[in-house]
């Protein structure tokens, strides 16, 4: 890189210090897009450009204004901002009028939802009728059915943040897949290689996940869709996202080279392959003329024949495991694993 990365960007800790934000506030600011980050190096490490810090610090209300935009409040503080009781605020949140921005579990393993103070104030200005008098009949009926939209609204918000964080189609599909349990995911994605690829791109768990097994199990359940219509929506969204991802490139198969077009230049390899191996891999696979022992023979798939090196209309997979082994035996360096295409906030 021509520009010194250390001079052009700073680490997250340094940025939080210069923006006068606590660690939780800074993490929330990155997730909400208030503070923009850029990928740095390999892996998921991200940094903040100096120009972004200058932009935020140049605001006339800095730092109070920035801190207010990422201030998260609990139920009691949110109710105080609206001038209502905590019980009434909980009922409004359960019916979906406010979306939590994060959650945690207290020592009694009860879920504590947090809301953006700015959104709470805006709700009070736009829906003043819901703050006084009896709630509408529709809301009372939904509460009688024990409806609670807080987990679903939080998942929807989190998915939106994840989708805005990357343009890679496979990473976007992985973000949607993270909301489905393994059974639902296997029904939508029947290819094990694609499921493995989605799992490798899976976003990290939300910050503040508990450590104890029981509490962690409760928190993990909140990250998965549970309403039937929500599950159906994400299944359909995942199917569409997979179609888009497959149109761009196929999921990598371990030890295989994928040819997406004509010529050696179209090879897309799971790990970096030397140029001389790419030329060899692009050649048709020779079929041995001598008889093969039936005990070790493998039946050809439908559409294949002994004189055809690949089935028509299918992506070619040429195994290169043996070539890699020969390369390692001769002292060739091991190729580095490519970095993930998404650096989740």
């Amino acid at each position: 890189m021509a520009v010194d990365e250390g001079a052009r960007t700073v680490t997250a800790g340094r940025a939080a210090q210069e923006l006068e934000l606590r660690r939780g506030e800074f993490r929330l600011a990155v997730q909400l897009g208030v503070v923009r980050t850029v990928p740095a190096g390999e892996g998921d490490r991200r940094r903040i450009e100096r120009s972004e810090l200058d932009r935020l610090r140049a605001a006339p209300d800095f730092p109070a204004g920035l801190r207010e935009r990422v201030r998260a409040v609990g139920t009691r503080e949110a109710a105080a901002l609206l001038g209502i009781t905590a019980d009434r605020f909980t009922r409004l949140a359960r019916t979906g009028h406010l979306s939590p921005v994060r959650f945690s579990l207290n020592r009694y393993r009860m879920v504590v939802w947090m809301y953006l103070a700015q959104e709470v104030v805006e709700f009070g200005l736009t829906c003043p009728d819901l703050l006084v008098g009896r709630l509408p009949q529709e809301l009372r009926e939904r509460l009688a059915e024990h409806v609670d939209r807080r987990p679903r609204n939080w998942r929807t918000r989190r998915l939106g943040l994840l989708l805005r964080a990357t343009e890679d189609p496979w990473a976007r599909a992985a973000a949607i897949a993270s909301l489905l349990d393994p059974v639902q995911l296997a029904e939508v994605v029947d290819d094990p290689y694609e499921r493995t690829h989605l799992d490798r791109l899976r976003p990290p768990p939300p910050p503040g996940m508990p450590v104890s097994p029981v509490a962690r199990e409760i928190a993990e359940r909140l990250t998965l869709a549970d309403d039937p219509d929500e599950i159906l929506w994400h299944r359909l969204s995942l199917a569409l996202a997979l179609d888009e991802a497959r149109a761009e490139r196929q999921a990598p198969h371990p030890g295989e080279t994928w040819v997406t077009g004509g010529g050696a230049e179209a090879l897309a390899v799971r790990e970096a392959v030397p140029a001389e191996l790419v030329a060899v891999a692009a050649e048709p696979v020779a079929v041995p003329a001598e008889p093969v022992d039936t005990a070790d023979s493998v039946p050809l798939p439908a559409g294949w024949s002994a004189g055809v090196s690949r089935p028509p209309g299918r992506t070619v997979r040429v195994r290169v495991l043996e070539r890699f082994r020969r390369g390692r035996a001769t002292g060739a360096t091991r190729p580095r694993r490519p970095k993930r295409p998404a650096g989740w906030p």
Side-chain angles (χ1 to χ4, degrees):
M1 181 178 295
V3 180
D4 183 9
E5 189 70 22
R8 188 176 63 88
T9 63
V10 299
T11 62
R14 179 66 179 176
Q17 182 179 0
E18 294 192 16
L19 295 176
E20 303 182 28
L21 295 176
R22 291 189 290 269
R23 179 178 299 181
E25 293 174 337
F26 180 80
R27 186 186 299 118
L28 186 57
V30 172
Q31 292 174 346
L32 297 175
V34 176
V35 177
R36 298 189 293 263
T37 62
V38 295
E42 297 187 1
D44 299 331
R45 190 167 57 89
R46 300 182 72 87
R47 297 171 65 94
I48 297 85
E49 292 183 333
R50 278 286 177 188
S51 59
E52 177 69 2
L53 297 180
D54 296 339
R55 180 185 68 85
L56 294 170
R57 292 172 61 88
D61 58 351
F62 177 84
L66 176 60
R67 200 175 294 129
E68 182 64 23
R69 292 169 65 185
V70 296
R71 183 163 72 98
V73 297
T75 299
R76 293 187 180 277
E77 191 174 355
L81 290 174
L82 296 177
I84 59 178
T85 64
D87 180 68
R88 189 181 186 94
F89 179 86
T90 299
R91 286 183 286 173
L92 291 173
R94 287 174 62 93
T95 51
H97 290 83
L98 294 118
S99 298
V101 70
R102 67 185 182 198
F103 72 89
S104 61
L105 269 66
N106 60 17
R107 59 178 178 175
Y108 304 107
R109 295 171 184 164
M110 300 292 293
V111 181
V112 179
W113 296 103
M114 305 293 290
Y115 308 84
L116 281 179
Q118 192 175 49
E119 293 183 357
V120 173
V121 174
E122 292 175 356
F123 170 76
L125 296 176
T126 56
C127 303
D129 296 342
L130 295 177
L131 305 182
V132 295
R134 294 192 69 186
L135 292 176
Q137 179 67 25
E138 178 187 0
L139 299 185
R140 297 201 303 270
E141 292 177 354
R142 292 167 63 182
L143 290 171
E145 297 173 356
H146 304 287
V147 170
D148 190 353
R149 292 292 299 263
R150 289 175 295 181
R152 179 171 180 174
N153 284 352
W154 173 81
R155 289 189 293 266
T156 301
R157 179 194 288 271
R158 172 170 164 80
L159 177 60
L161 296 174
L162 293 174
L163 293 179
R164 287 196 295 270
T166 179
E167 296 295 331
D168 182 78
W170 279 105
R172 293 172 65 88
I176 302 174
S178 67
L179 300 179
L180 298 174
D181 62 52
V183 176
Q184 298 286 344
L185 180 60
E187 292 179 355
V188 179
V189 189
D190 55 358
D191 189 335
Y193 292 106
E194 291 185 343
R195 289 200 302 272
T196 300
H197 191 48
L198 292 175
D199 185 67
R200 188 175 69 87
L201 299 175
R202 174 182 289 268
M209 289 290 283
V211 178
S212 64
V214 177
R216 191 173 185 86
E217 181 181 357
I218 296 174
E220 287 177 347
R221 284 204 302 266
L222 294 174
T223 64
L224 299 177
D226 53 6
D227 295 336
D229 57 335
E230 181 188 10
I231 293 174
L232 177 60
W233 174 261
H234 291 315
R235 285 172 62 111
L236 294 175
S237 300
L238 178 58
L240 294 175
L242 285 174
D243 288 342
E244 180 180 351
R246 291 163 182 155
E248 179 169 315
R249 67 181 184 275
Q250 296 292 322
H253 287 216
E256 294 182 343
T257 300
W258 288 72
V259 181
T260 56
E265 68 279 2
L267 291 174
V269 190
R270 172 68 171 83
E271 294 184 343
V273 181
E276 58 270 16
L277 292 186
V278 172
V280 175
E283 299 176 358
V285 179
V287 179
E290 64 272 19
V292 180
D293 185 10
T294 56
D296 297 329
S297 62
V298 179
L300 292 175
W304 284 66
S305 66
V308 180
S309 61
R310 61 181 182 272
R314 293 288 303 276
T315 303
V316 180
R317 309 173 197 167
V318 182
R319 300 187 180 276
V320 292
L321 285 177
E322 293 302 324
R323 297 188 180 94
F324 276 132
R325 290 168 182 159
R326 287 199 297 269
R328 294 179 63 182
T330 57
T333 58
R334 183 177 181 179
R336 301 182 65 181
R337 183 174 181 176
K339 65 179 182 178
R340 292 166 59 170
W344 300 114

